[in-house]
Amino acid sequence: MKLAFTNLLIEFATSSSSVNGCRVTINWTSKDVQAMRYEIERKLPSSSVYTKIGDVTPLPGTVVANHNYQFINDLTGGSQGNFSYRIRQIIDTAAASFADAYIDTTNITLSSPCVVTGINPVDPTKDAICILPNPAHSNLTIKINSQNPIENLLVKIVDVKGRVVAQYKKTKPAGVFSFELPVYNLANGKYVAVFYNGITKLTSKEFIKL
C-alpha cells in the first residue's frame, strides 16, 4: 500500500525551473500533509552526484492535498553550464517506517556566465526573517534583515488546516526593518507565517497563538 501511494505521489508531481541573473527558482506541485517534508538536491555542471542544498516544510494540514511550492537557489557570480535539481519527498519520517521518493527533476542551463542581481533579495537559506514573541498573545513583531528593499512584501497567516486566515502587505526598505502584526483576533493554536516578495515565496515561520 505504501509503495502504491508513493507511486501516485511521483505520478502527480510536476516541477519547473527558471533563472534570473544567478538566481534559480524551482517551482513544484505535489500532494502532501504537514508531517511530510521535502529536500532539494542539486547537481553541478562539474559533478556527477547530487548534493542536498535545502529543506522545505509542507503547508499545514492533516489531509493529503495539492500544494504549490518554491525554492530559490543563489549561484555564485559567473556560474554557467547545466544545473540539475531534484525534489526528494520524505513521506514517512519515523525511523522504523521511513519512506521517501524522488518525485521530480528539473534542469536549467546557463549558456553564459551569470551576473548577480538584486531581485528577490532575501536568501531563504539564511535566518533573515524572525518573529517574536513565540508563543504570541496579541501581536507578532516581524524582523527582516536584507541588504535590498522589498517593495511587495506579503505576509500570509495560515492555520493548521491550510487556510489563509489573515494577510498583510508591507514595503520594506533596505537593511533591518521591524513591524508588528495583530494576532489577538486569532483562535489559540498553531499557525505559519508565510513571507512573499510579490509571488515569490521567501520563507515560512511557525508560531503559536495563546
Side-chain angles (χ1 to χ4, degrees):
M1 184 179 293
K2 182 177 288 187
L3 178 60
F5 177 66
T6 300
N7 288 336
L8 286 174
L9 293 180
I10 296 171
E11 184 177 348
F12 173 82
T14 59
S15 66
S16 63
S17 55
S18 60
V19 62
N20 192 322
C22 291
R23 173 155 290 184
V24 179
T25 301
I26 300 98
N27 294 284
W28 74 94
T29 300
S30 53
K31 291 180 178 289
D32 58 43
V33 295
Q34 187 178 6
M36 299 178 184
R37 62 184 174 87
Y38 297 95
E39 294 180 353
I40 309 301
E41 298 181 356
R42 180 187 66 190
K43 184 171 67 173
L44 297 172
S46 59
S47 177
S48 60
V49 297
Y50 285 87
T51 302
K52 178 184 171 182
I53 59 171
D55 297 279
V56 175
T57 302
L59 291 170
T62 57
V63 177
V64 176
N66 303 338
H67 290 127
N68 298 315
Y69 295 100
Q70 187 175 85
F71 182 85
I72 296 174
N73 176 223
D74 286 317
L75 305 176
T76 57
S79 297
Q80 68 180 114
N82 182 68
F83 293 81
S84 181
Y85 297 87
R86 64 184 183 184
I87 303 158
R88 182 188 186 198
Q89 185 169 359
I90 311 301
I91 301 164
D92 189 340
T93 59
S97 55
F98 183 86
D100 70 318
Y102 289 102
I103 57 174
D104 210 12
T105 301
T106 180
N107 300 285
I108 195 79
T109 299
L110 281 68
S111 56
S112 58
C114 70
V115 177
V116 177
T117 69
I119 298 174
N120 300 331
V122 174
D123 183 350
T125 66
K126 298 179 181 178
D127 192 19
I129 300 177
C130 64
I131 57 176
L132 295 169
N134 190 8
H137 292 279
S138 56
N139 292 289
L140 280 178
T141 297
I142 311 296
K143 182 179 179 181
I144 303 178
N145 183 6
S146 64
Q147 192 173 25
N148 298 301
I150 305 176
E151 295 183 359
N152 300 305
L153 176 64
L154 175 65
V155 184
K156 293 184 179 181
I157 306 299
V158 182
D159 67 12
V160 294
K161 294 183 179 179
R163 300 174 300 190
V164 177
V165 296
Q167 62 180 27
Y168 307 92
K169 293 183 179 179
K170 298 284 183 179
T171 298
K172 179 209 167 292
V176 179
F177 178 63
S178 298
F179 58 94
E180 288 192 346
L181 297 181
V183 294
Y184 61 85
N185 57 335
L186 299 179
N188 292 350
K190 191 176 187 180
Y191 295 88
V192 177
V194 188
F195 298 84
Y196 297 86
N197 183 357
I199 62 172
T200 300
K201 181 180 176 182
L202 302 175
T203 190
S204 60
K205 300 287 183 178
E206 293 185 356
F207 70 94
I208 296 174
K209 163 64 170 59
L210 295 180

